[in-house]
Amino acid sequence: MAHVSPNMVTTGNELPGYRVVRPMGIVRGITVRSRSIVGNLGAALQTLVGGNISIYTELCEKAREEAFELMLQHAGQHGANAVVAMRYDANDVAEGVTEVLAYGTAVVVEPLT
């Protein structure tokens, strides 16, 4: 399966050192995660101490990483070799259940000469 390199993704509209030769459309990666009872209990204990709630931080990071990877795969399936205007979004879909979306515009780029 084709796959876009993470180095070929930018939040900008242009990829420095490259020229967009063909837009391939919007691509996305989506994951839906829930917090476990054990995770909620651990997080509740961490809130008593204050500061960063590492259990939730790890959950969020894992969800973003998975959504990003799925977006790279989707871009590769479209024949792209880069993604521009990449963004993240997150929404609660139910109590304790969160959707994380990574999206952007799949493009074919070539190096500037």
Side-chain angles (χ1 to χ4, degrees):
M1 175 186 308
H3 185 274
V4 172
S5 168
N7 296 334
M8 298 298 285
V9 178
T10 182
T11 57
N13 293 326
E14 298 176 2
L15 190 61
Y18 293 86
R19 176 173 60 107
V20 173
V21 294
R22 187 171 52 249
M24 305 300 284
I26 296 172
V27 291
R28 82 283 178 262
I30 185 171
T31 188
V32 179
R33 296 279 181 152
S34 68
R35 299 180 303 255
S36 70
I37 292 172
V38 174
N40 281 336
L41 181 58
L45 293 174
Q46 283 186 326
T47 59
L48 295 175
V49 178
N52 183 32
I53 303 171
S54 62
I55 290 172
Y56 287 156
T57 301
E58 290 172 23
L59 176 68
C60 292
E61 182 56 36
K62 191 172 285 190
R64 283 185 177 201
E65 183 179 319
E66 186 175 317
F68 185 79
E69 181 62 31
L70 290 168
M71 180 197 65
L72 295 179
Q73 291 174 15
H74 192 214
Q77 291 168 358
H78 278 71
N81 64 354
V83 176
V84 296
M86 186 267 165
R87 302 287 187 270
Y88 285 107
D89 196 5
N91 298 294
D92 290 336
V93 293
E95 181 68 34
V97 179
T98 302
E99 158 203 53
V100 176
L101 172 67
Y103 63 97
T105 302
V107 294
V108 173
V109 296
E110 62 183 25
L112 294 172
T113 54

